[in-house]
């Protein structure tokens, strides 16, 4: 019977044949060049490790050679023992043990080299892609779901890195191993060599008819697995909501339904594997018995020795394995190409807007800046305006409010101010007192501190959360920021103060406490412009007013731009803008007062 290792080799070979069809089709339709472009990109990362790759190839060839030497030594050892000739017994034992030992050493070294190089290339690609994702245009990167980006960043990079080093050396080693093994068999018996050569492709070609069925099953399994994973992520992420509605049992039943679907499909695939396994075993047994029968005939007629028979049977399997290893490289070649293409797609996203002279603005931090919008139009989707012909101004020392119904464009205004998105028409500028102005872009974002909507506290200690924006902040500076945000009162009561741990998304804190920590983090940054996007919604009115007064008092020239639904904020503001029906308009003092009363 064919053992599990042989079964796996046959499966790899079938995939290899299927992949040959893909390569032929790519060549015919003119898209084969895309695969070569993907591999040129992969080699751009592996090129600097070429010395290690050459060493890896040499060690692989040496290991294969020593394996053959050990097999030949075993043949003569068997011949000596069966013929009771012991003159060279010690020499052959030494050769066999030595070749086996050195082959093991070389394989171990290769394993170590391969693992190290794969990790190095994986880290190189991930570091490069991480930088490019972080520097990608906001509109471009948000077209991808977080799950898709993570899948490309982890799984696709892993696929590329695991094959970038091994692909070419494995082909060379497989070709060498195949040629050397065939030569050894051919040297002792030409017919044996031809029989061994014919056995591998015969068993592979006979199994081609099951490839399409296997591909269909693989596709179904991947699709169902993806759907189950999506369900699981959504359930765990929304655990608070599920518990709050008391619908845990409903989700337990849904989980069972997904499990039943997966069980049914898994058993169907298992039955197919059993049937095809029987077929493959029958074919494998037939080929094996033909080879074994031929060896017995040659041994019976005295044409070969026991040692030669053992060598042939052993190397027949090695020849088949070498052939299948070479063929199985093709799916890895294609899979790496697909993964590389998906990674390159992220890497080629347009970059954020960089304006190098923006750094000249740093000299005006203490004096403060003006934020100006002039005749701005903006659309996320062409033909659907979110902001239309709108103006906006915020000056040093001012608290400026953006009010209006949900979904009308307040957060869009914040994104325009941060330079995450850019107007279709008009300008969004940062202007210093001397009159110099620069368009909003990534190179002036360090002059802003931003508190977005929702819970932005990360897992870790409070001090780690705070030092995200200022790595070298002292404990005293952190405590000072917490005091300004009215957060120190509850932090100092925690067991370890600022070194107390909080869970993911601020678990262990109330919504108001998490908000105050986020505001304190922005205050610690001490940027000239503070943006609060509904960042005080969970605070009581008294705390909200104290926090805003503290912020202005801390830095007289600081601009504080607040999006809010709270009337308590409006009385503290020097300017109030309303965003409604895509239009941003400034309210006069009378309108602001009336708006505060109408809230």
């Amino acid at each position: 019977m064919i053992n599990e290792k042989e079964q796996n080799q046959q499966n790899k070979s079938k995939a290899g044949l299927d992949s040959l069809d893909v390569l032929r089709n790519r060549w015919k339709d003119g898209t084969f060049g895309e695969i070569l472009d993907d591999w040129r990109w992969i080699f751009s990362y592996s090129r600097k490790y070429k010395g290690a790759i050459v060493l890896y190839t040499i060690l692989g060839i040496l290991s294969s050679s020593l394996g053959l030497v050990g097999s030949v030594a075993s043949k003569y050892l068997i011949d000596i023992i069966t013929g009771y000739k012991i003159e060279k017994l010690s020499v052959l034992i030494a050769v066999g043990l030595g070749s086996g030992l050195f082959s093991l050493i070389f394989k171990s070294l290769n394993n170590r080299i391969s693992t190290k190089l794969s990790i190095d290339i994986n880290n190189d690609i991930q570091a490069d892609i991480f930088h490019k994702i972080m520097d990608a245009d906001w509109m471009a990167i948000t077209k991808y779901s977080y799950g898709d980006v993570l899948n490309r960043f982890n799984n696709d990079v892993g696929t590329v890195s695991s094959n970038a080093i091994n692909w070419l050396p494995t082909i060379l080693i497989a070709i060498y191993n195949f040629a050397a093994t065939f030569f050894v068999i051919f040297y002792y018996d030409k017919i044996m060599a031809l029989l061994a050569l014919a056995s591998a492709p015969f068993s592979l070609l006979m199994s081609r008819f099951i490839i399409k069925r296997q591909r269909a099953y693989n596709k179904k399994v991947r699709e169902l697995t993806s759907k189950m994973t999506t369900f699981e992520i959504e359930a765990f992420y929304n655990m608070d909501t599920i518990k709050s509605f008391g619908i845990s049992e409903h989700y337990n039943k849904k989980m069972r339904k997904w499990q039943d679907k997966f069980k049914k499909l898994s058993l169907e695939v298992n039955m197919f594997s059993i049937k095809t396994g029987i077929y493959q075993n029958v074919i494998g047994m037939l080929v094996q018995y033909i080879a074994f029968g031929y060896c017995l005939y040659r041994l019976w007629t005295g044409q070969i020795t026991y040692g030669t028979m053992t060598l042939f049977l052993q190397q027949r399997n090695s020849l088949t394995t070498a052939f299948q290893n070479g063929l199985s490289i093709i799916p890895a070649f294609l899979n790496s190409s697909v993964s590389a293409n998906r990674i390159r797609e992220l890497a080629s996203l347009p970059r954020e807007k960089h304006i190098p002279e923006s750094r000249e603005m740093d000299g005006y931090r203490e004096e403060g800046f003006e934020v100006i919008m002039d005749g701005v139009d903006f659309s996320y989707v062409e033909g659907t305006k979110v902001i239309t012909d709108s103006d906006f101004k915020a000056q040093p020392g001012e608290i400026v409010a953006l009010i209006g119904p949900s979904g009308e464009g307040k957060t869009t205004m914040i994104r325009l101010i941060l330079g995450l998105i850019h107007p279709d028409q008009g300008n969004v500028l940062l202007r210093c007192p001397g009159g110099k102005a620069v368009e909003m872009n990534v190179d002036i974002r360090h002059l802003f501190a931003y508190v977005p909507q929702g819970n932005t506290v990360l897992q870790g200690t409070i001090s780690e959360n705070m030092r995200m924006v200022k790595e070298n902040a002292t404990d005293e500076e952190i405590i000072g920021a917490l005091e300004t945000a009215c957060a120190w009162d509850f932090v100092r009561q925690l067991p370890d103060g600022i070194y107390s741990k909080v869970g993911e998304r601020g678990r262990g804190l109330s919504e108001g406490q998490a908000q105050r920590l986020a505001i304190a983090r922005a205050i610690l940054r001490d940027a000239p412009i503070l943006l609060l996007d509904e960042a005080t919604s969970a605070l009581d009115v008294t705390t909200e007013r104290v926090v805003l007064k503290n912020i202005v008092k801390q830095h007289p020239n600081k601009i504080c731009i607040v999006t809010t639904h709270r009337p308590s904020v409006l009385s503290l503001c020097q300017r109030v803008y309303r965003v409604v029906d895509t239009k941003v308009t400034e309210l006069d003092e009378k309108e602001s007062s009336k708006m505060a009363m109408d809230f």
Side-chain angles (χ1 to χ4, degrees):
M1 297 291 287
I2 297 178
N3 59 29
E4 185 177 350
K5 182 178 180 181
E6 291 173 324
Q7 180 77 47
N8 291 335
Q9 289 291 343
Q10 289 190 357
N11 290 337
K12 290 181 181 179
S13 301
K14 288 184 291 179
L17 288 170
D18 197 26
S19 300
L20 281 173
D21 292 335
V22 174
L23 289 177
R24 282 194 291 267
N25 292 334
R26 285 293 193 101
W27 184 270
K28 290 177 182 178
D29 63 21
T31 59
F32 186 76
E34 295 176 8
I35 298 177
L36 295 182
D37 288 339
D38 292 329
W39 270 93
R40 289 191 191 98
W41 179 83
I42 293 173
F43 286 143
S44 70
Y45 286 96
S46 58
R47 190 178 295 121
K48 71 176 182 178
Y49 302 105
K50 58 186 177 183
I53 294 174
V54 171
L55 176 61
Y56 176 90
T57 305
I58 292 172
L59 289 175
I61 290 173
L62 286 174
S63 179
S64 297
S65 300
L66 289 171
L68 283 172
V69 170
S71 297
V72 172
S74 297
K75 166 209 164 352
Y76 285 108
L77 189 61
I78 292 171
D79 287 341
I80 288 174
I81 292 174
T82 54
Y84 302 103
K85 299 176 182 179
I86 59 173
E87 294 84 1
K88 298 181 179 180
L89 182 61
S90 59
V91 175
L92 289 170
I93 290 175
V95 170
L97 291 175
S99 61
L101 177 61
F102 280 104
S103 178
L104 179 62
I105 292 173
F106 290 150
K107 284 181 179 178
S108 300
L109 286 173
N110 251 8
N111 182 276
R112 182 69 174 177
I113 292 171
S114 174
T115 300
K116 183 180 183 301
L117 291 179
S118 292
I119 293 173
D120 286 340
I121 290 182
N122 185 86
N123 290 345
D124 287 348
I125 297 176
Q126 279 195 330
D128 188 30
I129 299 305
F130 186 84
H131 169 72
K132 289 177 178 176
I133 290 173
M134 288 297 160
D135 194 41
D137 177 77
W138 187 88
M139 291 283 286
I141 192 63
T142 52
K143 292 178 181 178
Y144 297 85
S145 68
Y146 293 132
D148 186 29
V149 172
L150 284 173
N151 189 31
R152 296 176 191 230
F153 184 74
N154 290 313
N155 296 338
D156 286 319
V157 171
T159 297
V160 168
S161 62
S162 64
N163 292 316
I165 295 299
N166 297 340
W167 189 79
L168 186 58
T170 301
I171 282 185
L172 295 175
I173 293 169
I175 291 174
Y176 170 80
N177 197 20
F178 181 85
T181 302
F182 179 78
F183 175 78
V184 168
I185 299 174
F186 190 84
Y187 175 80
Y188 289 103
D189 192 300
K190 296 180 177 62
I191 297 177
M192 286 183 182
L194 294 175
L195 183 60
L197 182 65
S199 63
F202 175 77
S203 61
L204 297 175
L205 291 173
M206 289 299 292
S207 62
R208 284 178 61 97
F209 76 96
I210 63 175
I211 290 176
K212 290 184 179 180
R213 189 78 176 272
Q214 282 189 325
R215 288 184 65 186
Y217 275 127
N218 289 339
K219 183 179 180 181
K220 287 182 180 180
V221 170
R222 284 196 296 269
E223 289 175 350
L224 185 57
T225 301
S226 295
K227 291 177 181 178
M228 284 190 68
T229 302
T230 300
F231 166 78
E232 291 162 1
I233 290 173
E234 289 181 346
F236 291 135
Y237 187 81
N238 296 292
M239 189 180 297
D240 289 352
T241 303
I242 293 171
K243 286 179 174 291
S244 299
F245 277 103
I247 54 175
S248 298
E249 188 58 33
H250 171 70
Y251 270 80
N252 291 338
K253 290 178 181 178
K254 289 183 72 173
M255 183 65 189
R256 279 294 185 184
K257 287 181 179 179
W258 281 114
Q259 288 179 325
D260 289 341
K261 288 181 181 179
F262 194 79
K263 175 183 176 181
K264 181 179 178 182
L265 181 59
S266 298
L267 290 176
E268 188 177 341
V269 173
N270 175 256
M271 181 55 68
F272 175 74
S273 298
I274 290 173
K275 291 178 180 178
T276 54
I278 292 172
Y279 169 79
Q280 291 170 339
N281 280 324
V282 170
I283 296 297
M285 287 169 58
L286 180 62
V287 174
Q288 185 175 359
Y289 286 148
I290 291 173
F292 187 63
Y294 177 75
C295 285
L296 288 177
Y297 170 76
R298 298 277 285 171
L299 182 65
W300 183 40
T301 56
Q303 300 177 53
I304 60 173
T305 63
Y306 286 107
T308 303
M309 175 180 173
T310 302
L311 177 67
F312 169 65
L313 292 176
Q314 183 185 53
Q315 295 308 307
R316 184 195 71 83
N317 290 331
S318 297
L319 195 68
T320 301
T321 300
F323 179 81
Q324 292 169 338
N325 283 342
L327 200 59
S328 67
I329 292 298
I330 299 174
F333 176 81
L334 288 175
N335 289 337
S336 293
S337 170
V338 171
S339 291
N341 193 271
R342 284 164 50 83
I343 299 167
R344 289 174 63 201
E345 189 176 301
L346 289 182
S348 63
L349 290 175
R351 295 179 66 199
E352 288 202 271
K353 183 173 289 188
H354 289 260
I355 303 176
E357 55 266 30
S358 299
R359 289 291 178 178
E360 298 174 10
M361 306 295 282
D362 287 0
Y364 301 94
R365 290 179 64 104
E366 294 302 319
E367 299 176 57
F369 301 94
E370 283 185 305
V371 175
I372 300 171
M373 288 188 183
D374 181 23
V376 168
D377 286 3
F378 177 78
S379 304
Y380 289 108
V381 179
E382 187 175 353
T384 306
K385 287 189 177 182
V386 179
I387 303 294
T388 303
D389 190 25
S390 295
D391 300 329
F392 176 87
K393 181 191 289 186
Q395 295 181 320
E398 291 185 338
I399 299 177
V400 181
L402 282 168
I403 62 173
S406 296
E408 288 291 332
K410 297 190 299 297
T411 298
T412 298
M413 289 285 290
I414 296 295
R415 290 171 182 160
L416 285 165
I417 292 170
L418 283 168
L420 292 170
I421 55 180
H422 302 280
D424 304 323
Q425 297 290 334
N427 299 294
V428 184
L429 304 172
L430 185 71
R431 187 162 64 193
C432 65
K436 179 179 176 60
V438 66
E439 184 182 354
M440 295 298 184
N441 70 94
V442 65
D443 294 322
I444 57 172
R445 209 169 288 156
H446 64 286
L447 299 174
F448 292 80
Y450 175 43
V451 184
Q453 295 182 34
N455 191 325
T456 58
V457 177
L458 306 181
Q459 184 176 12
T461 66
I462 291 174
S463 64
E464 288 170 345
N465 269 273
M466 298 290 287
R467 288 191 172 101
M468 283 173 52
V469 298
K470 190 176 181 181
E471 292 183 11
N472 60 348
T474 64
D475 288 0
E476 290 73 20
E477 288 176 315
I478 292 174
I479 292 171
L482 292 169
E483 287 175 338
T484 302
C486 296
W488 177 238
D489 286 344
F490 78 84
V491 170
R492 67 181 175 185
Q493 295 178 16
L494 297 175
D496 298 309
I498 63 173
Y499 293 98
S500 299
K501 290 185 177 181
V502 293
E504 185 181 5
R505 299 175 67 202
R507 289 189 182 276
L509 301 174
S510 70
E511 194 66 28
Q513 289 173 334
Q515 255 189 7
R516 277 180 276 174
L517 282 183
I519 294 171
R521 184 169 56 197
I523 290 170
L524 180 65
R525 185 176 176 89
D526 194 26
I529 303 163
L530 177 62
L531 304 174
L532 303 175
D533 191 3
E534 298 286 359
T536 59
S537 59
L539 305 184
D540 60 79
V541 172
T542 302
T543 303
E544 179 184 51
R545 292 178 68 87
V546 171
V547 168
L548 291 175
K549 286 180 179 179
N550 286 346
I551 290 171
V552 175
K553 183 179 178 181
Q554 180 201 37
H555 196 312
N557 290 323
K558 187 189 291 289
I559 291 175
C560 184
I561 300 174
V562 184
T563 71
T564 184
H565 290 87
R566 303 279 289 271
S568 55
V569 174
L570 302 186
S571 62
L572 297 174
C573 297
Q574 285 71 43
R575 299 175 190 269
V576 177
Y577 287 86
R578 178 170 54 190
V579 186
V580 64
D581 294 332
T582 78
K583 188 73 175 177
V584 181
T585 55
E586 184 177 2
L587 305 183
D588 58 30
E589 187 175 344
K590 183 177 179 180
E591 288 175 313
S592 298
S593 300
K594 184 178 184 302
M595 184 67 67
M597 289 187 293
D598 291 341
F599 254 97

